Amino acid sequence: MLASACTHSWRTGRFLNKLIRSGIQTLTAAALIANLSACSRPTTLEKIEQEGVLHVITRNAPTTYYEDRDGPAGFEYELAKKFSEYLGVELRLRVASDLDEAYTVLEQNYTNLAAVGLSRLAASAQSPGLRFSSEYLEIQPLVLFRNGSPKPKQVDDLIGGKMIIPAQTAQAEFLRQVKDSRLPDMDWLEAADMETSEIMRLIEEGEYEYAIVNSREYEIHKAMFPRAREAFPLMEPLQISWIFPPGEDMSLIQKADEFIKQIKEDGTLIYLQERYFGHVNQLNYVGARTYISHIKDRLPKFEPTFKQASEKFEVDWRLLASIGYQESHWRPYATSPTGVRGLMMLTLPTAKEMNVKNRLNPEQSIFGGAGYFSRIKQRISERIAEPDRTWMALAAYNIGLGHLEDARALAKMQGMDQDKWIDVKQALPLLQQKKWYVKTRYGYARGWEPVHYVQNIRRYYDVLVWMTQPSAEDGSVAQNEDGPNSGVDGMTEETPAIPAPFRVTPPML
């Protein structure tokens, strides 16, 4: 009985009550109670298992946690959710208003862990007693400048410039060390309540000359702020960990390390990195500025039709618009050398299949393209989970369902998962190699094209969601009535007006 009570020490109180009620002899009871008092308290992991809840604090950011149209999302959210499932308990999330709140909650032991996307260097500088899991993500602090201004090449070049950086970060600590050791004239503003998007806006609009942000968030936002450009890495890359309260035992940290090791080995971590960060480098400076300009100047003409097609075929209108932009840059009279025509660049067989009489009619083209995409997606195996199913449907829209199935077969042949886009996109380029395409049903295909096609559309979608988020209730693109009109194909030197930062980060399709 005593061994059992010690093993399940959180039941000690109930066991003592039984002793008292049973009227056991005083000396015997005293001896047992003395032994019970030597039993260890329940570990952190035992408490979590007893309550059935994992408490996690996070923050709103595109690399951590946000709400999209389907509910909670974000890289850190996904990791925490999978960890709670690994433990067999419910995830209970608390969103901190700022990092100060997150640190306070940790220090007072009001949470089991913090998933806020910070490195050990940053967190330890704020609260030395905190503890950490093993690393699972790498970020690179970057110095940004405004395109058209002199480009700094080293830290010394930042002296005298107006600079803004996020507060309570590793880069802030690094700059303080540099200032104390050799550059006493260096100065900057630490922005405690600004997200990366707001900091990059200040560079875009010329209010600050320099900024320092982390590479993951820069890559996500750079298409929205094309004039905020990377100058050089500030310091060595940083490794991101979960943060744990001080003073607790190691049981939960050990379990977290075990979980992180497993998801590294089974490919889950790579899959999540691909989902949230695998497409963010698809727009360069010129492409981003051009796209934002076209959202203002071209899209409003076709937006109502995209929305009507969206309702009919139950496909997000912004995804349909992104397909249209990838196909033709929203030019209704576009024609390829192979005879593919119209805003959605339909082939003659596809137009016939979708009952499109005039491919150069924007409305017919949009409805034809939307219907064709919907039809393809319905033919993709239902066992393929979202968002992979959408990505594969996009690839099939570009290269054909037969070639997609060939690539999936090649992925399976190589021991990869044919139901995961991250694996299928590695297999698609093999369709260009004879030693591989001879083993397929449909033979040779330009396999790199659908990979770039899907990645581009994912990025266009992100930006379009961002541009439409702050607008009116109908989700229309914010109009730039007072701004310059760049014409059909041209662009002015003035960056198109960009909506104020939205409160909910757009989904990563």
Side-chain angles (χ1 to χ4, degrees):
M1 180 183 287
L2 179 58
S4 175
C6 286
T7 301
H8 305 286
S9 55
W10 53 269
R11 296 175 181 164
T12 298
R14 185 182 302 171
F15 182 67
L16 290 174
N17 287 334
K18 286 183 178 180
L19 288 178
I20 294 170
R21 285 198 302 269
S22 66
I24 194 167
Q25 291 182 359
T26 304
L27 289 177
T28 305
L32 287 173
I33 292 170
N35 285 327
L36 283 170
S37 66
C39 293
S40 61
R41 299 181 61 186
T43 65
T44 302
L45 187 59
E46 287 173 341
K47 291 176 184 177
I48 291 170
E49 292 169 343
Q50 178 189 359
E51 184 185 0
V53 174
L54 176 69
H55 296 273
V56 175
I57 190 164
T58 187
R59 63 188 178 113
N60 276 123
T63 55
T64 52
Y65 166 82
Y66 53 85
E67 292 275 347
D68 70 11
R69 67 184 186 278
D70 297 319
F75 179 76
E76 290 286 356
Y77 167 77
E78 295 269 11
L79 274 186
K81 182 67 174 173
K82 290 185 180 298
F83 184 42
S84 69
E85 292 168 355
Y86 181 77
L87 297 177
V89 299
E90 172 194 346
L91 174 65
R92 192 164 297 170
L93 210 62
R94 173 173 174 175
V95 181
S97 58
D98 53 32
L99 287 176
D100 277 334
E101 180 184 342
Y103 285 125
T104 299
V105 169
L106 277 166
E107 289 164 354
Q108 295 181 358
N109 210 357
Y110 289 159
T111 189
N112 297 129
L113 66 91
V116 289
L118 289 180
S119 67
R120 294 187 184 211
L121 180 60
S124 297
Q126 299 299 319
S127 183
L130 298 174
R131 291 178 299 173
F132 305 89
S133 70
S134 54
E135 298 86 1
Y136 52 82
L137 188 68
E138 182 176 275
I139 61 170
Q140 173 70 69
L142 300 173
V143 175
L144 306 186
F145 75 109
R146 189 174 189 265
N147 189 56
S149 303
K151 181 179 179 179
K153 297 180 180 179
Q154 57 184 354
V155 175
D156 302 57
D157 297 339
L158 305 178
I159 296 176
K162 194 177 179 183
M163 180 164 56
I164 184 169
I165 69 173
Q168 300 177 322
T169 55
Q171 45 264 47
E173 184 64 23
F174 176 83
L175 285 182
R176 279 191 286 272
Q177 294 174 7
V178 171
K179 180 181 177 72
D180 292 342
S181 62
R182 64 182 188 87
L183 297 177
D185 294 332
M186 178 174 288
D187 198 15
W188 62 87
L189 171 68
E190 290 192 29
D193 299 321
M194 282 191 190
E195 296 298 331
T196 298
S197 59
E198 297 176 78
I199 290 174
M200 290 179 64
R201 173 185 293 281
L202 295 175
I203 297 296
E204 176 87 10
E205 296 177 350
E207 294 189 32
Y208 282 82
E209 295 174 72
Y210 310 123
I212 298 172
V213 301
N214 81 59
S215 55
R216 299 285 182 178
E217 296 197 12
Y218 168 68
E219 288 164 358
I220 288 170
H221 290 99
K222 69 180 182 180
M224 294 77 151
F225 305 102
R227 281 185 169 166
R229 305 289 298 278
E230 175 185 347
F232 62 89
L234 177 70
M235 54 196 291
E236 292 298 313
L238 299 169
Q239 304 298 322
I240 304 302
S241 303
W242 280 335
I243 309 172
F244 295 82
E248 287 288 301
D249 61 77
M250 296 295 292
S251 60
L252 183 60
I253 299 176
Q254 290 170 353
K255 203 70 174 176
D257 288 346
E258 180 184 292
F259 165 74
I260 291 168
K261 181 181 178 182
Q262 176 175 304
I263 63 174
K264 285 179 178 178
E265 292 175 349
D266 67 16
T268 299
L269 184 59
I270 293 176
Y271 170 74
L272 289 177
Q273 290 174 342
E274 154 64 24
R275 176 176 180 182
Y276 285 98
F277 310 123
H279 63 292
V280 294
N281 281 317
Q282 294 304 117
L283 280 177
N284 61 20
Y285 170 68
V286 175
R289 287 197 66 204
T290 303
Y291 182 49
I292 292 173
S293 177
H294 288 167
I295 287 174
K296 295 292 186 180
D297 300 331
R298 294 184 182 178
L299 181 58
K301 305 171 192 174
F302 311 115
E303 184 179 328
T305 306
F306 279 122
K307 289 181 175 178
Q308 291 166 8
S310 170
E311 291 180 6
K312 180 175 181 179
F313 296 106
E314 298 182 345
V315 179
D316 189 330
W317 78 268
R318 296 165 298 190
L319 179 60
L320 295 177
S322 300
I323 296 172
Y325 191 79
Q326 172 65 24
E327 292 287 352
S328 70
H329 283 203
W330 298 322
R331 292 178 297 163
Y333 306 115
T335 303
S336 79
T338 58
V340 182
R341 309 182 74 185
L343 192 146
M344 301 295 276
M345 295 298 275
L346 303 178
T347 64
L348 273 172
T350 299
K352 184 176 181 180
E353 180 181 346
M354 302 312 300
N355 198 31
V356 173
K357 305 299 183 183
N358 180 4
R359 289 180 291 166
L360 300 184
N361 178 293
E363 183 173 337
Q364 289 187 37
S365 183
I366 289 171
F367 271 83
Y372 184 61
F373 175 76
S374 176
R375 186 170 295 182
I376 286 176
K377 189 173 179 181
Q378 289 172 11
R379 294 174 65 187
I380 299 291
S381 173
E382 291 187 0
R383 75 167 184 264
I384 300 175
E386 290 291 1
D388 298 78
R389 193 160 180 249
T390 292
W391 299 343
M392 291 197 201
L394 289 171
Y397 185 95
N398 173 258
I399 201 174
L401 191 58
H403 288 308
L404 174 70
E405 290 304 310
D406 281 348
R408 292 182 64 220
L410 289 178
K412 184 178 180 180
M413 201 180 300
Q414 293 190 314
M416 297 187 290
D417 191 338
Q418 64 176 340
D419 294 341
K420 299 287 189 185
W421 171 247
I422 189 173
D423 289 338
V424 174
K425 80 172 186 177
Q426 294 181 56
L428 276 163
L430 300 179
L431 297 176
Q432 297 176 203
Q433 300 178 29
K434 187 174 183 179
K435 68 177 182 178
W436 291 107
Y437 70 69
V438 294
K439 301 177 181 180
T440 67
R441 179 178 180 183
Y442 293 93
Y444 172 85
R446 292 179 293 185
W448 276 111
E449 288 189 5
V451 174
H452 291 300
Y453 182 88
V454 174
Q455 302 299 77
N456 284 342
I457 289 174
R458 291 173 63 185
R459 198 61 175 125
Y460 293 143
Y461 176 85
D462 287 347
V463 176
L464 188 53
V465 170
W466 185 89
M467 293 288 288
T468 57
Q469 189 71 41
S471 60
E473 290 183 0
D474 65 354
S476 302
V477 173
Q479 299 301 305
N480 187 18
E481 297 176 357
D482 298 328
N485 192 326
S486 62
V488 175
D489 293 305
M491 261 180 27
T492 68
E493 284 302 309
E494 182 177 346
T495 301
I498 300 174
F502 50 85
R503 300 190 180 189
V504 181
T505 304
M508 292 290 146
L509 179 66

